[in-house]
Amino acid sequence: MLQKSGAKKRRDALPDASQFVWVRSGGRKMPATENMVPGNRVYKERLVLQGGTEYRTWDPFRSKLSAAIMNGLGEISISNMDRVLYLGASTGTTLSHISDIVGPGGAVFGVDHSSRVARDFMDRVVAYRSNVIPVMQDARRPDEYFAVSGRMDAVYADISQPDQTQIAIKNCKMFLKKGGAFFLVVKVRSINAQKSVKKVVAEEADRLSDFEILHTIDLMPYHKEHAMIIASLLS
């Protein structure tokens, strides 16, 4: 499921344990992040005490990044104090775990223009997490992100549009620093209803000419007809 390009890991990446740990919950082993807001839940996830520290279980059926971890991704190119631009924040499930990882010294800018999910995002995540900045804007127009400034250490894109990759690349060109990490969730049926998953993912990867592809991960069985491409910006 996990394909690697042979690229070197980021030299400044922290050990796995600083990003997520493995815990047992409900009889199964799953990733978890140290809870930045002890006692607080975002989406009814379980809270687990391990070594005196509270962790939030990271459900792979609710989070595509967790699904990638379950399918072999051993290290996330996001670390403590990083700045992350998150496209498609929705209700904040995955974003909240990234918030845990970057910690109080980092920042996660959550972009979404859907009023349908905005209230849940604000009530469940933004209200409790000082490092999460809501950006209620259209990801197609990154020049209108008045709350976002400076370069990002990572861009995470989880948007349902036929041109989702082009939208994400446009954001990367504006905000991602050289060598920064790019997480692209490929929602195959949002792009093409007829072609095979493998074909669509390969075509989207071909669009990343300014990136070095580090991993391509099939997200089955957690997310049908989804994949994740993780890359690093070259220029």
Side-chain angles (χ1 to χ4, degrees), residues 38-50:
N40 177 256
R41 292 178 173 87
V42 174
Y43 57 101
K44 298 182 180 179
E45 69 277 22
R46 292 192 179 192
L47 303 182
V48 177
L49 276 176
Q50 186 166 287

Side-chain angles (χ1 to χ4, degrees), residues 1-6 71 198 213-218:
M1 293 182 183
L2 176 65
Q3 302 168 19
K4 297 185 179 180
S5 68
N71 284 353
K198 185 176 181 180
I213 295 177
L214 306 177
H215 306 288
T216 301
I217 307 170
D218 188 333

